[in-house]
Amino acid sequence: MAISTADFKNGLTIEVDHAIWRIVEFQHVKPGKGGAFVRSKLKNLRTGAVQEKTFRAGAKMERADIQTRSMQYLYEDADNRVFMDTDNFEQIEVPDDQIKAQLPYLQENMNVDLVQFGNEVLGIEVPNTVVLEVTATEPGIKGNTASGGSKPATMNTGLVVQVPFFVNEGDKLSINTTDGTYISRA
């Protein structure tokens, strides 16, 4: 299905130069001189690279037909992660290098969305927030205030997050998966 730059929305997937791109952000620009154009920031769904591209206003391109399937993360196998379709129990292996950005948030039996273009697996989408357990952090020292200041904490998946001083080992924390920041105690 062909779409024009007037149809751009954040999160829309398009096919340009034999690559599949997700629109991260875009801006319609109408200069005083010359024709209007659309400046966009696109993420390549195969490589994960982010690139800025400019399109003439009204330019046409193909919309990429992306499917998502609800999957459950089962286990790690060498350099792959194994996921199970929650509908038909089919198991799929996804290479670690394809989902590098999501690995610090993956926990066994977690439900994720598998992103596919035709039969090609492009990656996974984890929930916006996950609950992880603190496995290592310096103890809070009396006199440290709850506001202002933070310390590093290592989570059970290996992710290191800056947390307030009152957080201790064994605490369960809500973590934002888009930027890897502490939200609150769970």
Side-chain angles (χ1 to χ4, degrees):
M1 183 173 103
I3 60 166
S4 113
T5 55
D7 301 321
F8 274 18
K9 288 186 236 146
N10 289 345
L12 185 74
T13 50
I14 58 176
E15 205 171 340
V16 178
D17 302 329
H18 305 293
I20 300 158
W21 303 89
R22 174 169 285 139
I23 299 173
V24 178
E25 59 186 53
F26 69 98
Q27 178 182 16
H28 290 277
V29 180
K30 295 177 189 155
K33 186 177 179 183
F37 59 92
V38 177
R39 188 177 293 134
S40 62
K41 189 182 279 189
L42 306 174
K43 180 177 184 176
N44 187 318
L45 294 182
R46 287 188 176 119
T47 64
V50 176
Q51 190 175 39
E52 292 194 10
K53 281 192 179 285
T54 304
F55 301 98
R56 286 187 332 275
K60 300 244 185 245
M61 63 216 54
E62 282 297 312
R63 181 178 185 162
D65 187 25
I66 301 293
Q67 295 91 29
T68 58
R69 291 169 54 188
S70 182
M71 306 289 273
Q72 185 178 36
Y73 171 57
L74 296 179
Y75 59 90
E76 180 180 358
D77 180 33
D79 294 334
N80 298 315
R81 303 293 165 134
V82 179
F83 297 89
M84 177 183 68
D85 191 316
T86 54
D87 295 331
N88 61 15
F89 307 110
E90 171 191 356
Q91 292 189 8
I92 296 176
E93 287 188 3
V94 179
D96 284 354
D97 58 341
Q98 209 168 358
I99 56 172
K100 213 174 283 180
Q102 291 82 18
L103 286 179
Y105 309 107
L106 270 184
Q107 300 181 76
E108 287 187 5
N109 302 322
M110 172 188 254
N111 288 329
V112 299
D113 287 331
L114 185 79
V115 180
Q116 288 183 297
F117 179 69
N119 288 331
E120 177 187 1
V121 175
L122 297 175
I124 61 167
E125 292 177 354
V126 293
N128 290 334
T129 59
V130 294
V131 175
L132 300 176
E133 186 176 340
V134 178
T135 56
T137 187
E138 299 168 10
I141 301 165
K142 190 172 179 158
N144 286 345
T145 57
S147 64
S150 61
K151 62 183 180 177
T154 305
M155 311 311 281
N156 58 334
T157 60
L159 179 69
V160 177
V161 179
Q162 292 295 322
V163 297
F165 287 119
F166 60 80
V167 172
N168 298 312
E169 288 184 22
D171 287 358
K172 293 191 182 299
L173 307 178
S174 290
I175 304 296
N176 181 345
T177 59
T178 55
D179 57 7
T181 56
Y182 163 84
I183 298 173
S184 65
R185 280 185 171 157

